[in-house]
Amino acid sequence: MGLTIAGIALFAFRFRWAWLFPVATTVAFLSLSIQAQGIRTSFGPVLTLAVCVYGQWRWQLYKDGATTSIPLRRAYPVEWGIASGLLILFTLITGFAGSELISFVGPGYVLSSLLSSLPLVMYLGFAHGIFESWYVGAAFGALNLASLAVLVPAPPAAFVYTAVVLGLYVFGLLKWKAALNHQGRRAPVAHPAGS
């Protein structure tokens, strides 16, 4: 929980090494899953690890003296469609890959798969400095909070943690919005090749 909170806060400040926090969280989760279930584990953590390594690589491209921090931008219209397609794809992969379907699929299972997929889309947006990625994070936090209230009888500590995380997503949104507005008043920053 501490790694998640620290990672979100560091993303809000566009700290290049913020990617190490979701990587560490995912590696710890994978280690525990492998100990509990053997090598048979879901694709969700593996996808998260791949997306975070990609994000770290992209943010390191801005390490030269030309830019002091990660440049931000708004999503292009086509990227909204790409994000929707990726969300559907990731939900199918994380929810249904390697499982005997239909018998246990229900609203709770689909919601769980969707909740596993939203951070992947958010992290891909962060990797490209897309401001609207924080909306995905806020939706993820709000859905988590709602699922705790509706689907699962959760302890109060879980509500507090989830509310703190949701608050950090809103903080990151406001922080990147202010940075994007400030960046818009300066000369445009060149994006690295391949962006």
Side-chain angles (χ1 to χ4, degrees), residues 72-75 79 124-126 128-134 176:
L72 303 177
R73 64 181 178 85
R74 294 194 176 276
E79 289 172 326
L124 279 173
F126 284 173
H128 291 270
I130 297 174
F131 156 72
E132 289 87 355
S133 305
W134 288 100
W176 277 33

Side-chain angles (χ1 to χ4, degrees), residues 14-83:
R14 292 179 287 161
F15 182 65
R16 283 185 183 84
W17 295 103
W19 293 100
L20 295 180
F21 288 84
V23 166
T25 305
T26 305
V27 167
F29 179 79
L30 271 173
S31 299
L32 293 173
S33 294
I34 289 171
Q35 285 177 353
Q37 306 172 21
I39 199 68
R40 186 175 173 261
T41 187
S42 72
F43 285 107
V46 176
L47 280 172
T48 302
L49 199 55
V51 166
C52 290
V53 168
Y54 170 73
Q56 178 68 57
W57 171 76
R58 279 198 57 88
W59 279 26
Q60 289 305 308
L61 295 176
Y62 299 106
K63 207 164 51 172
D64 63 353
T67 56
T68 55
S69 63
I70 311 307
L72 303 177
R73 64 181 178 85
R74 294 194 176 276
Y76 300 120
V78 70
E79 289 172 326
W80 286 103
I82 291 170

Side-chain angles (χ1 to χ4, degrees), residues 111 115 119 138-150 159 161-162 165 169:
L111 178 62
L115 286 174
F140 171 66
L143 280 172
N144 262 333
L145 202 57
S147 71
L148 285 178
V150 175
F159 281 103
Y161 165 72
T162 307
V165 169
Y169 284 130

Side-chain angles (χ1 to χ4, degrees), residues 87-88 91 94 109-119 140 143:
L87 184 61
I88 292 167
T91 300
T94 58
Y109 188 79
V110 173
L111 178 62
S112 174
S113 299
L114 179 66
L115 286 174
S116 297
S117 303
L118 282 169
F140 171 66
L143 280 172

Side-chain angles (χ1 to χ4, degrees), residues 95-96 99-106 109:
F96 304 117
S99 65
E100 288 76 32
L101 301 175
I102 311 306
S103 59
F104 56 89
V105 173
Y109 188 79

